[in-house]
Amino acid sequence: MQWCATCAEGFRGWSRRQFLVALGQASMVVALAPRSGAAYTITDETGDVRIGREADPEILRQFGYYDSPDLQNYVAAVGQRVASPADTRFSFQFKVVDQTNINAMALPGGFIYVTRGMLAALNDEAQLAGVLGHEITHVNSRHGAKLLTKAFGAQLATLIGVGAAAASGAGGAVSGIATISTHITNYVLLGYGRDYELEADEVGMRYAHQAGYDPRRMVVFLRDLRRSQILRGQSTYHGFEATHPDTAIRIAKADTVANLLITQGGALQVKADIYKDQLDKLRYGEAKEQLRLKVYTVKAGDTLGSIAREGLGDEGRRFELATLNGLRDDAVLTPGSRLKLIVKQ
């Protein structure tokens, strides 16, 4: 996927010339400014918003906006609740995109996206709050701008030249746009690097806890995700590699942070059933498979085996049912609680 901060026809943003001239001028400031004191970036907060606003239509065009107003409103409401305690200068937008992979993404300026695959993998509102808190941290900490500055640190003279080329109408502007687009795309899809991901885990859990959620549920999600990736051999959420040593460190650090937050007191909401109720009829997997999630209310005497046998037609699918709901395959079920089932449309 490629996005271009200046190519959206009919969109009221920077022109290509304005964008590249401003980038060149900002780069000159970075190159000449003293290195003591505050960190410098090639865009300011206003620039972050403009970049996000320009990229948002392209993200939605490439990924697809998931057509479910109720689900969109629910995710946005949880996101705003998590963002409200944060010291932020951005106005956030939260959107569900029509993708099967387990991922969430943040553009500079407050544009945050969650895939339907991610929603299917989560099991309660506290986990969703942790994921959204993570992405909110990327925005508030301006990780995109910082990494762009670092990536272009050795190319500032080139960027200044690109700005001059744009001002004169030279063709060098095209390659400059492509370079910037590639870097932003990589950060959005693959994550922001080990240090920034660790920061986003920690601060994001703090945001979720301040909003009244149990931060330990984010740790549970990370552990479940690692286990799932080991079984499937797939890499998903922000380069979260099942076999990478840093992954174990990330989970351990998140566990430490969560336990420290618990000692501070406050509400520890989970809201598992409320969350799962929102997922009824959610499209699951690839469109050609014609699968959806069905939310089942547990009855007295139910087991995963009996639900798999009667609801899915195959008792052997109890292992799938357990994994999908973050349970052991011999889990004792609570009557009235909700389970996610994968069924044909």
Side-chain angles (χ1 to χ4, degrees):
M1 181 189 71
Q2 293 283 327
W3 72 266
C4 173
T6 61
C7 298
E9 294 184 6
F11 196 88
R12 292 185 298 174
W14 283 344
S15 68
R16 176 175 297 177
R17 174 177 174 176
Q18 289 172 320
F19 181 81
L20 290 173
V21 169
L23 185 58
Q25 291 171 342
S27 300
M28 178 68 80
V29 171
V30 174
L32 299 179
R35 290 305 178 209
S36 61
Y40 294 91
T41 55
I42 62 175
T43 66
D44 60 9
E45 292 163 3
T46 300
D48 284 3
V49 174
R50 285 173 172 166
I51 289 173
R53 188 180 298 132
E54 293 282 359
D56 175 63
E58 181 64 12
I59 290 285
L60 295 179
R61 186 185 71 81
Q62 293 286 345
F63 287 174
Y65 184 79
Y66 189 69
D67 186 15
S68 174
D70 289 343
L71 185 61
Q72 293 283 356
N73 290 336
Y74 171 72
V75 171
V78 175
Q80 296 298 343
R81 175 177 171 180
V82 176
S84 62
D87 178 18
T88 183
R89 293 165 294 282
F90 299 103
S91 296
F92 287 91
Q93 296 185 28
F94 300 89
K95 301 175 184 179
V96 180
V97 291
D98 194 8
Q99 292 289 301
T100 63
N101 60 327
I102 302 172
N103 212 351
M105 303 157 285
L107 282 174
F111 297 81
I112 292 175
Y113 311 88
V114 183
T115 65
R116 61 176 171 86
M118 172 64 87
L119 295 180
L122 299 172
N123 277 295
D124 53 60
E125 193 171 297
Q127 291 182 342
L128 175 61
V131 168
L132 296 179
H134 181 107
E135 301 306 322
I136 290 167
T137 303
H138 282 315
V139 173
N140 283 342
S141 297
R142 305 192 61 232
H143 288 160
K146 290 176 182 177
L147 284 179
L148 278 176
T149 301
K150 181 178 179 180
F152 290 133
Q155 306 174 46
L156 291 177
T158 300
L159 285 173
I160 294 166
V162 169
S168 65
V174 175
S175 61
I177 286 287
T179 300
I180 296 163
S181 299
T182 298
H183 277 83
I184 283 289
T185 298
N186 287 340
Y187 300 149
V188 167
L189 296 179
L190 302 179
Y192 289 85
R194 179 178 179 270
D195 289 343
Y196 287 161
E197 294 301 333
L198 287 172
E199 179 186 349
D201 284 344
E202 176 180 348
V203 179
M205 284 193 293
R206 291 184 185 278
Y207 288 161
H209 181 246
Q210 290 169 356
Y213 293 103
D214 187 340
R216 295 171 296 188
R217 296 303 300 165
M218 182 63 174
V219 182
V220 171
F221 166 65
L222 293 175
R223 286 175 174 156
D224 288 346
L225 182 60
R226 185 170 190 262
R227 188 179 304 113
S228 176
Q229 288 181 215
I230 289 173
L231 293 174
R232 300 179 183 179
Q234 297 176 338
S235 175
T236 52
Y237 185 48
H238 284 206
F240 195 87
E241 299 284 355
T243 57
H244 199 291
D246 284 350
T247 297
I249 295 173
R250 183 175 169 186
I251 293 174
K253 286 182 177 293
D255 186 50
T256 300
V257 171
N259 287 323
L260 287 173
L261 290 172
I262 293 299
T263 66
Q264 298 176 10
L268 299 173
Q269 294 181 341
V270 174
K271 295 190 173 183
D273 292 339
I274 290 174
Y275 177 78
K276 288 178 181 177
D277 281 341
Q278 305 297 319
L279 303 186
D280 195 41
K281 299 187 173 68
L282 177 72
R283 192 177 305 120
Y284 188 87
E286 301 293 340
K288 62 182 179 182
E289 298 175 316
Q290 295 187 318
L291 299 175
R292 290 189 181 271
L293 291 185
K294 175 183 176 181
V295 177
Y296 176 85
T297 301
V298 175
K299 302 187 294 291
D302 275 345
T303 65
L304 289 174
S306 68
I307 295 171
R309 181 178 62 252
E310 297 167 13
L312 303 175
D314 181 0
E315 187 170 349
R317 291 182 65 184
R318 71 181 186 277
F319 300 104
E320 168 198 293
L321 193 58
T323 300
L324 183 65
N325 289 277
L327 300 171
R328 294 170 54 95
D329 65 292
D330 60 351
V332 176
L333 304 179
T334 302
S337 63
R338 311 292 197 272
L339 290 179
K340 299 176 293 185
L341 282 65
I342 303 171
V343 299
K344 281 283 187 182
Q345 292 188 39

